Amino acid sequence: MDEFNFYNSENDGYRGGFGDYVDPIPTTSFQPGMQPPKKKKGGAAKVIALVLACTLVGGSAGVGGAYLYNRVTGPQNTTTIYEEDRPQVRTVVNTNNGQPMTPEQLYAANLASCVGITVNTTQNIWGQITTSAASGSGFVLSQDGYIATNYHVIEGAVNNSDVTIQVSFANGDKYDAKLVGGEKDNDVAVLKIEATGLTRVTLGDSSKLVVGESVYAIGNPLGELTYSLTDGLVSALDRLITTTGTDENGRQTSTTLNVLQTNCAINPGNSGGPLFDSYGNVIGITTAKYTQSSSGVTAEGLGFALPINDVKEILADLIEHGYVTGKPYMGVQVMNVSEEAQRYGITAGAAVSYVAEGSCAQKAGLQVNDIITAIDDTAIDSSSALTAALSTNYKAGDKAVLTVIRNQQEVKLNITFDEKNAETEANNQQQNNQQQSSQDSQNNGGYYGGYQWPFGNMFPW
């Protein structure tokens, strides 16, 4: 199959402002009588596994509104995220008893909940200070100002205090936004603006989606055609796509996501916006689209959105903690063993190039140059296989047995995984940068530890 290019953090969003045009808020209002009846009991819950997600968070269907309310509400926290039940779409005969909204009603009911997001960056080019803006979309989660979007929309502001984020509403209101937290592995982020009484969306149940039902997106294509409504169908469910980008050190990174496919028009600037079902509930976050294959074939009508069930708990964690809790972390940097190295007898696996001081990997006895070939009974033949195994099978605090090759001998190591958070990641990255700088100066940039390092790109875990 040909590889495709995706809109990602480097080219998502028109490089410019939102312009002076502001869409008026429609006067049509959604009538209470159009609310769908409550869901009938029964039916098995569907669980969607996220490849390369770092823990099974937000994956199971049927997460109740009361549960999410408890996740983000406490003695000092009054933030509420709302969910809504909807009738099961009938796959044989649709009797229309659920009374779905018309497109006009859906737009009028949700326009005030949809926002444009502008990430302002300032650069010094040849001595001249220039300011540019990357545009994306988002939607209001709560009346007190929490807003959801894609991580890649606001990625430039994650570690740079000079980058500012602005949120714009259809009525012309604009707010400076603070990044509450982001989850790069699942391309989700939460912003906070200082406002009250906002109109929030209602989160739906993406497990009830069926291929062929209608969906709608409200967003800001090209960053200038603000608050556009587009419609389409659910084209497929449970697609796996891989997006690529670069990290803060210029290394190439990749992320594999579970998504739903739609022919709803999605363009640069739509990323982070809501995808609605016909009942007006958010059932996805628009994220990517196919543009062109590696052979030059142009693709149309292939858009993708994160199923909302996959990210509900992630959103709640970001609001409550600023990061996703429970994700396993080893505190290592690993590389792929290249095909050339394998031809010389080096075992395929995740080759350890760095172990953070005080990490669970160091406590387990893992060493630089070890090659991880298995976690418990799961074979590891690459850094991505290590990521997938940790993502789907473990959480922080779990114990496992690592199988490693050290000096051509197999060694078993017992490990208890740390939690991935700002402290453990910063410890890993800071130490690794210092060590890598020292090694580069000693080895003329081409050697590692006195010999040629025969592995590929490096990945932090």
Side-chain angles (χ1 to χ4, degrees):
M1 179 182 294
D2 290 335
E3 294 184 356
F4 289 79
N5 297 321
F6 288 87
Y7 287 113
N8 55 31
S9 58
E10 294 181 343
N11 58 8
D12 183 83
Y14 178 79
R15 290 288 171 179
F18 283 90
D20 296 327
Y21 175 77
V22 177
D23 293 291
I25 298 179
T27 56
T28 305
S29 60
F30 176 61
Q31 300 299 319
M34 297 299 293
Q35 289 288 344
K38 292 186 177 180
K39 175 183 63 175
K40 294 181 180 180
K41 294 183 179 179
K46 176 183 177 184
V47 178
I48 300 175
L50 285 180
V51 177
L52 293 189
C54 291
T55 184
L56 290 179
V57 290
S60 49
V63 180
Y67 175 72
L68 273 187
Y69 179 88
N70 291 334
R71 286 297 309 278
V72 297
T73 303
Q76 278 78 40
N77 192 342
T78 59
T79 298
T80 305
I81 298 176
Y82 289 86
E83 290 187 275
E84 184 62 70
D85 285 342
R86 50 160 275 186
Q88 177 68 51
V89 175
R90 302 194 178 194
T91 57
V92 179
V93 177
N94 187 352
T95 63
N96 295 320
N97 290 333
Q99 296 181 326
M101 295 182 181
T102 66
E104 298 93 327
Q105 292 167 332
L106 185 144
Y107 186 76
N110 290 285
L111 177 59
S113 305
C114 300
V115 302
I117 296 175
T118 304
V119 181
N120 295 299
T121 61
T122 300
Q123 297 177 320
N124 190 332
I125 302 177
W126 304 105
Q128 300 295 320
I129 304 299
T130 62
T131 300
S132 60
S135 303
S137 302
F139 54 94
V140 177
L141 287 172
S142 65
Q143 294 178 333
D144 58 343
Y146 286 99
I147 293 170
T149 188
N150 280 142
Y151 181 90
H152 73 258
V153 170
I154 52 79
E155 187 170 11
V158 173
N159 295 312
N160 191 341
S161 59
D162 294 330
V163 176
T164 61
I165 304 173
Q166 187 178 70
V167 170
S168 304
F169 287 82
N171 64 359
D173 290 345
K174 295 183 179 181
Y175 298 87
D176 292 331
K178 177 181 68 174
L179 176 61
V180 176
E183 166 59 16
K184 186 173 184 178
D185 294 334
N186 293 287
D187 202 10
V188 179
V190 172
L191 307 177
K192 180 69 167 65
I193 62 175
E194 294 303 319
T196 57
L198 299 177
T199 303
R200 80 292 183 281
V201 300
T202 300
L203 302 185
D205 185 351
S206 57
S207 73
K208 291 183 178 179
L209 293 173
V210 296
V211 173
E213 72 169 284
S214 298
V215 288
Y216 304 86
I218 299 177
N220 303 283
L222 305 184
E224 290 190 337
L225 303 176
T226 55
Y227 313 107
S228 296
L229 173 70
T230 56
D231 68 331
L233 305 173
V234 176
S235 303
L237 301 170
D238 299 334
R239 295 289 198 201
L240 294 179
I241 64 171
T242 300
T243 61
T244 59
T246 55
D247 62 15
E248 62 274 10
N249 296 314
R251 294 188 295 255
Q252 185 175 7
T253 61
S254 62
T255 302
T256 300
L257 300 169
N258 175 76
V259 294
L260 62 91
Q261 179 185 330
T262 178
N263 66 337
C264 195
I266 295 173
N267 290 286
N270 276 107
S271 282
L275 187 70
F276 297 95
D277 64 13
S278 57
Y279 302 95
N281 303 318
V282 175
I283 44 77
I285 302 177
T286 56
T287 297
K289 66 175 289 187
Y290 277 146
T291 55
Q292 191 177 70
S293 70
S294 58
S295 59
V297 177
T298 300
E300 295 291 343
L302 298 176
F304 300 93
L306 301 172
I308 200 65
N309 283 21
D310 287 4
V311 299
K312 284 178 179 177
E313 287 195 25
I314 295 175
L315 293 172
D317 258 352
L318 293 176
I319 291 173
E320 187 173 358
H321 303 288
Y323 69 98
V324 178
T325 60
K327 293 173 61 175
Y329 198 66
M330 293 176 60
V332 297
Q333 299 277 355
V334 296
M335 290 181 171
N336 294 325
V337 179
S338 69
E339 293 182 0
E340 291 78 6
Q342 292 179 48
R343 284 198 289 267
Y344 285 93
I346 297 179
T347 304
V352 179
S353 62
Y354 166 76
V355 180
E357 184 178 349
S359 66
C360 65
Q362 184 190 55
K363 295 174 183 176
L366 201 63
Q367 299 177 9
V368 171
N369 296 337
D370 284 349
I371 301 176
I372 302 172
T373 59
I375 301 180
D376 289 331
D377 296 328
T378 302
I380 305 298
D381 61 2
S382 65
S383 57
S384 60
L386 174 64
T387 301
L390 290 172
S391 303
T392 57
N393 300 325
Y394 302 95
K395 61 180 183 292
D398 284 350
K399 301 179 185 297
V401 177
L402 301 179
T403 301
V404 305
I405 301 300
R406 179 183 298 166
N407 298 324
Q408 303 300 313
Q409 300 294 320
E410 185 176 278
V411 179
K412 301 286 186 179
L413 302 174
N414 295 314
I415 190 169
T416 301
F417 296 115
D418 293 331
E419 181 180 73
K420 185 176 183 179
N421 53 43
E423 181 180 354
T424 54
E425 285 191 284
N427 184 48
N428 188 348
Q429 191 62 51
Q430 181 179 5
Q431 293 181 38
N432 180 66
N433 289 342
Q434 293 173 351
Q435 180 171 312
Q436 190 66 50
S437 176
S438 174
Q439 289 167 345
D440 288 344
S441 62
Q442 293 176 6
N443 299 312
N444 198 28
Y447 290 82
Y448 188 96
Y451 62 92
Q452 184 69 37
W453 185 248
F455 308 115
N457 292 332
M458 183 163 54
F459 300 83
W461 261 103

